[in-house]
């Protein structure tokens, strides 16, 4: 299913770049240079059957859990402090260069941890002949695990496809740090894609797609949201309009890269990050196209409220308790927006601590807790008015079983684009996909493990 998603994405982005280029100058975009994909590069590698010791090196392997199977790669190396660290790669899991920490080698045993936004994983493997075999599990829960095997391989030569560099962009007192990739062996003007970060995410969130499209001939840039990774500032203390100024500074930088065709620069965003998509495109009408994945169509506050309502309904059977939980949740949001009625809210929280739903939506003890400030600045935002002003080519992708963004959101954005008389709007629903574009029936979700 993911391969279908990638194909739709690539074809649609090519459609967007062609449309925007024709719209500007009546000329079709040039053909992209043909490049080998990662799978082709992998096929030329051979096993290193002379593996005698563990440690620094490049490994390829497979994780299995029941009927599920995930291919992955691990690059283990020494950092500047001479400590073993690493990076994790997986086409199946849309992971590119996820950091690996606490690498430990003892005789014929290899262990390492993989911190993620979903579940931190621990890998424990033992060398048997030329194969490392072991188990991986959520840290703190060894009862559920998946099995894995690793083999040592020559390290792929990514420079055959593109070069990359670290770039910093200044926006007032904030510095935005990211990675710029340029297709190798070409001086021809290239299309470009800027990957806008979503809620609280650093550049790793889009590293896979930045790598993927760089191999297809695009210049790509993905970056740490302010306050994450190597970017300064704090995203939780500013609103979407301020975050959009970071995006716009980055886009301006990319448009000025020497091999970039400034008339074919697009933006890609997903989830809550895609709420800023029409705002950014409205502020810079030179942006050639926009791609939104799992894009909210209502206010973010209402989107979040609807999602938490669903979570409560799925976990609470008593209808009265469901109603009580909804009322308490709405009261929390009202306080976050208005700053009023804290005493009444606190009194209700104290009376509800033994309710079955309270642990899911419990109230912070501090009336000035940062989460209230974040709700007011991050969730009190509705992008629909900006969609009504967007005429650039737009691709919107949504999962059939998205449990966060309701199908009606798609309809609201469609109506807004129609009001803008946008004739270059394409929407695609991926069958059986959830909010994160995982197949709800067949895929092994990101870092999920199976029963022992």
């Amino acid at each position: 299913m993911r391969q279908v998603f990638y194909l739709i994405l690539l074809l649609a982005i090519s459609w967007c770049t062609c449309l925007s280029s024709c719209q500007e100058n009546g000329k079709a975009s040039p053909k992209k240079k043909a490049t080998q994909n990662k799978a082709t590069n992998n096929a030329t590698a051979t096993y290193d059957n002379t593996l005698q010791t563990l440690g620094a090196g490049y490994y390829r392997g497979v994780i299995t859990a029941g009927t599920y199977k995930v291919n992955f790669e691990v690059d283990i190396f020494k950092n500047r402090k001479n400590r073993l660290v690493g990076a994790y790669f997986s086409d199946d899991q849309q992971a590119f260069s996820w950091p690996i920490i606490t690498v430990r080698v003892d005789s014929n045993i290899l262990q390492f941890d993989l911190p993620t936004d979903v579940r931190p994983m621990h890998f424990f493997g033992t060398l048997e002949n030329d194969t490392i075999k072991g188990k991986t599990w959520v840290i703190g829960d060894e009862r559920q695990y998946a099995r894995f095997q690793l083999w040592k391989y020559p390290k792929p030569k990514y420079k055959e496809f593109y070069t990359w560099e670290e770039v910093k962009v200044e926006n007032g007192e904030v510095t935005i740090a990211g990675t710029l990739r340029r297709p190798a062996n070409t001086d021809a003007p290239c299309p470009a894609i800027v990957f806008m970060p979503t809620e609280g995410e650093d550049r790793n969130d889009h590293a896979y797609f930045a790598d993927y499209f760089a191999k297809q001939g695009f210049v790509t840039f993905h970056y740490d949201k302010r306050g994450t990774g190597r970017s300064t500032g704090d995203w939780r203390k500013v609103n979407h309009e301020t975050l959009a100024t970071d995006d716009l500074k980055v886009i301006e930088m990319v448009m000025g890269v020497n091999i970039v065709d400034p008339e074919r620069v697009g933006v890609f965003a997903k989830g809550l990050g895609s709420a800023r998509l029409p705002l950014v495109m409205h502020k810079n009408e030179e942006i050639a196209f926009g791609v939104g994945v799992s894009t909210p169509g209502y206010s973010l506050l209402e989107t979040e409220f609807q999602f938490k309502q669903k979570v409560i309904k799925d976990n609470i059977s008593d209808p009265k308790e469901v109603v009580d939980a909804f009322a308490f949740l709405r009261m929390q949001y009202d306080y976050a927006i208005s700053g009023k009625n804290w005493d009444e809210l606190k009194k209700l929280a104290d009376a509800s601590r033994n309710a079955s739903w309270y642990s899911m939506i419990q109230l912070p003890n501090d009336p000035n807790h940062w989460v209230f400030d974040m709700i007011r600045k991050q969730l009190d935002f509705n992008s629909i008015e900006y969609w009504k002003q967007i005429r650039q080519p737009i691709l919107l992708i949504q999962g059939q079983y998205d449990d966060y963004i309701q199908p009606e959101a798609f309809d609201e954005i469609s109506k807004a684009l129609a009001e803008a008389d946008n004739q270059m709007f394409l929407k695609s629903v991926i069958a059986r996909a959830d909010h994160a574009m995982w197949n709800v029936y067949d895929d092994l979700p990101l870092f999920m493990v199976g029963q022992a």
Side-chain angles (χ1 to χ4, degrees), residues 60-64 69-72 147-151:
R60 289 183 182 153
V62 60
I63 298 172
T64 55
K69 178 180 176 181
V70 168
N71 295 300
F72 72 108
R147 298 185 182 275
F148 74 89
Q149 297 185 65
L150 282 172
W151 302 271

Side-chain angles (χ1 to χ4, degrees), residues 303-356:
T303 299
E304 185 77 7
F305 184 69
Q306 289 182 3
F307 172 69
K308 289 192 174 180
Q309 279 184 316
K310 182 180 184 303
V311 172
I312 291 169
K313 285 181 178 179
D314 289 345
N315 289 277
I316 304 298
S317 57
D318 187 329
K320 182 182 182 305
E321 290 199 355
V322 170
V323 172
D324 291 343
F326 286 180
F328 180 71
L329 181 62
R330 176 63 76 183
M331 194 172 178
Q332 280 199 61
Y333 286 151
D334 289 344
Y335 169 75
I337 299 301
S338 69
K340 299 177 180 180
N341 300 321
W342 169 259
D343 291 340
E344 182 180 349
L345 177 60
K346 185 68 167 59
K347 183 178 180 181
L348 180 58
D350 292 339
S352 305
R353 293 190 186 279
N354 294 325
S356 58

Side-chain angles (χ1 to χ4, degrees), residues 268-298:
F268 178 108
K270 62 182 183 179
L272 293 183
S274 60
R276 298 196 309 279
L277 187 63
L279 169 59
V280 169
M281 295 183 71
H282 171 66
K283 294 288 186 180
N284 186 344
E285 295 183 353
E286 294 182 2
I287 294 171
F289 62 89
V291 179
V293 179
S294 303
T295 305
Y298 299 117

Side-chain angles (χ1 to χ4, degrees), residues 109-384:
I109 294 174
L110 172 65
Q111 302 182 64
F112 59 86
D113 294 333
L114 183 66
T116 79
D117 293 333
V118 183
R119 297 181 176 99
M121 301 296 297
H122 181 72
F123 287 73
F124 181 98
T126 304
L127 177 64
E128 299 179 16
N129 297 322
D130 63 346
T131 304
I132 300 172
K133 297 181 179 180
K135 297 179 180 179
T136 177
W137 61 85
V138 174
I139 293 177
D141 184 7
E142 298 185 31
R143 294 173 300 174
Q144 295 188 98
Y145 63 86
R147 298 185 182 275
F148 74 89
Q149 297 185 65
L150 282 172
W151 302 271
K152 205 165 188 178
Y153 265 79
K155 187 173 182 176
K157 298 178 180 179
Y158 291 108
K159 289 185 178 180
E160 294 178 2
F161 305 107
Y162 57 76
T163 60
W164 68 91
E165 61 180 298
E166 294 292 300
V167 175
K168 292 184 178 180
V169 179
E170 304 297 329
N171 183 21
E173 298 179 353
V174 172
T175 299
I176 303 299
T179 303
L180 181 72
R181 288 175 169 83
R182 307 168 188 247
N185 305 316
T186 180
D187 294 323
C190 299
I193 305 178
V194 174
F195 294 89
M196 293 165 44
T198 186
E199 180 183 4
E201 299 289 350
D202 60 22
R203 76 185 79 179
N204 286 325
D205 189 50
H206 283 130
Y208 180 82
F209 286 115
D211 165 79
Y212 178 86
F213 281 101
K215 290 175 180 175
Q216 315 306 318
F218 287 78
V219 172
T220 65
F221 188 73
H222 61 121
Y223 50 102
D224 300 325
K225 192 172 186 176
R226 65 162 65 195
T228 71
R230 298 180 181 177
S231 293
T232 64
D234 189 341
W235 66 271
R236 297 177 302 182
K237 295 182 178 180
V238 297
N239 56 28
H240 283 276
E241 286 77 6
T242 300
L243 290 174
T245 66
D246 295 342
D247 304 321
L248 291 164
K249 284 287 186 179
V250 163
I251 293 165
E252 181 182 355
M253 179 277 294
V254 172
M255 286 182 169
V257 172
N258 58 352
I259 67 166
V260 168
D261 179 353
E263 295 182 352
R264 291 191 292 152
V265 176
V267 289
F268 178 108
K270 62 182 183 179
L272 293 183
S274 60
R276 298 196 309 279
L277 187 63
L279 169 59
V280 169
M281 295 183 71
H282 171 66
K283 294 288 186 180
N284 186 344
E285 295 183 353
E286 294 182 2
I287 294 171
F289 62 89
V291 179
V293 179
S294 303
T295 305
Y298 299 117
S299 74
L300 296 184
L301 190 65
E302 193 61 31
T303 299
E304 185 77 7
F305 184 69
Q306 289 182 3
F307 172 69
K308 289 192 174 180
Q309 279 184 316
K310 182 180 184 303
V311 172
I312 291 169
K313 285 181 178 179
D314 289 345
N315 289 277
I316 304 298
S317 57
D318 187 329
K320 182 182 182 305
E321 290 199 355
V322 170
V323 172
D324 291 343
F326 286 180
F328 180 71
L329 181 62
R330 176 63 76 183
M331 194 172 178
Q332 280 199 61
Y333 286 151
D334 289 344
Y335 169 75
I337 299 301
S338 69
K340 299 177 180 180
N341 300 321
W342 169 259
D343 291 340
E344 182 180 349
L345 177 60
K346 185 68 167 59
K347 183 178 180 181
L348 180 58
D350 292 339
S352 305
R353 293 190 186 279
N354 294 325
S356 58
W357 46 263
Y358 185 77
S359 61
M360 291 185 284
I361 52 175
Q362 57 185 306
L363 179 72
N365 290 323
D366 184 0
N368 299 312
H369 195 279
W370 65 264
V371 72
F372 297 127
D373 191 44
M374 187 194 71
I375 289 173
R376 184 173 65 257
K377 292 178 177 177
Q378 296 288 314
L379 297 185
D380 191 19
F381 177 80
N382 193 337
S383 61
I384 204 68

